[in-house]
Amino acid sequence: MKKKIILIVIIVLLLGIVGFVLYQVDPIRFKISYEYINLIEDRNGKKIKIKVPYDNGIQYLNEKEILTYLKKETGIFYFGYNTCPWCRNIVPILIHTAKTNHIDTIYYIDTYNLNLTSIKQELFDFLGDNLREDETGKKRLAVPDVYFIKEGKIIGHHIGSVESYHNPYQEMNDSQKQELISIYEQWIKEMKK
């Protein structure tokens, strides 16, 4: 009986360790983070189910890395969070478009779980006129916001989805998806020049 209990404890510990290690791998962590929300109703009592591939190319950036990467790298930078209904709808399209265009990495800034206070002013200075203004004229970071950076320079960005898409609880139609793909591809081509 004691051997069975010890074996069960060892198996549970190993599964916990394996789960923890896998969760630390950014693409898997991202997939889990976004797909577990499929099971949860939001404050409106609705669910938005999405599928995220394992090979999604997501690399999380922490507060210390954001500005360093933005100011020197070439790539796609996605600002968003897993419970944002608009973010949930663009993520599969963004990942698909990046993969189709041979982009291996999408840098992810989780605006809900990161504390950006210490870098807010410098980040807002870098993002500049690309930020939205609220009713009082104050600059703010809206999500989903996707930036296309080439050697530390913003060459393009896109906030939200497409003009004709108004309800994040309904799936985008094929025309809307294609329009968003075209927007992303335009900036990817510029980024690759």
Side-chain angles (χ1 to χ4, degrees):
M1 183 64 165
K2 282 186 177 184
K3 287 183 181 181
K4 262 187 175 176
I5 292 172
I6 291 172
L7 182 61
I8 290 171
V9 168
I10 290 172
I11 290 171
V12 168
L13 284 173
L14 286 174
L15 288 174
I17 291 168
V18 168
F20 177 78
V21 169
L22 286 177
Y23 190 73
Q24 300 307 309
V25 177
D26 286 351
I28 294 171
R29 177 180 169 197
F30 186 83
K31 178 179 177 58
I32 292 168
S33 170
Y34 271 72
E35 286 189 357
Y36 96 87
I37 300 297
N38 289 344
L39 308 171
I40 301 170
E41 290 182 355
D42 70 5
R43 66 178 179 262
N44 298 314
K46 299 183 179 186
K47 297 178 187 177
I48 300 170
K49 293 186 178 185
I50 65 168
K51 297 268 308 160
V52 176
Y54 283 103
D55 61 339
N56 56 56
I58 295 294
Q59 179 180 334
Y60 281 74
L61 295 182
N62 64 37
E63 296 91 339
K64 294 177 183 174
E65 296 170 323
I66 294 168
L67 289 166
T68 302
Y69 277 70
L70 280 170
K71 291 180 176 181
K72 74 172 188 172
E73 294 295 325
T74 295
I76 299 172
F77 290 77
Y78 160 55
F79 290 80
Y81 58 94
N82 64 352
T83 58
C84 161
W86 300 98
C87 298
R88 295 182 63 71
N89 281 286
I90 68 104
V91 158
I93 297 165
L94 177 62
I95 291 168
H96 167 78
T97 306
K99 285 172 64 173
T100 301
N101 288 277
H102 311 289
I103 303 293
D104 296 328
T105 304
I106 299 170
Y107 299 104
Y108 176 48
I109 298 91
D110 183 343
T111 60
Y112 186 79
N113 289 310
L114 289 177
N115 180 358
L116 301 176
T117 307
S118 65
I119 64 165
K120 183 178 178 181
Q121 188 58 53
E122 193 174 356
L123 176 62
F124 279 29
D125 288 346
F126 181 82
L127 300 177
D129 292 336
N130 297 299
L131 295 169
R132 285 210 172 144
E133 289 185 3
D134 64 17
E135 309 79 42
T136 67
K138 187 175 182 180
K139 298 270 186 180
R140 67 181 182 90
L141 185 61
V143 295
D145 200 356
V146 181
Y147 285 82
F148 300 85
I149 309 289
K150 183 174 184 175
E151 297 172 356
K153 304 278 188 249
I154 299 171
I155 59 165
H157 90 108
H158 185 74
I159 297 175
S161 56
V162 294
E163 286 292 321
S164 64
Y165 185 59
H166 304 288
N167 184 352
Y169 298 102
Q170 293 177 343
E171 186 176 354
M172 279 188 221
N173 65 38
D174 289 342
S175 175
Q176 292 166 327
K177 289 178 185 177
Q178 189 54 53
E179 183 181 351
L180 187 56
I181 288 168
S182 295
I183 291 167
Y184 291 155
E185 284 182 336
Q186 167 198 345
W187 292 120
I188 289 170
K189 286 177 185 163
E190 289 296 318
M191 190 177 71
K192 286 183 161 185
K193 283 185 181 179

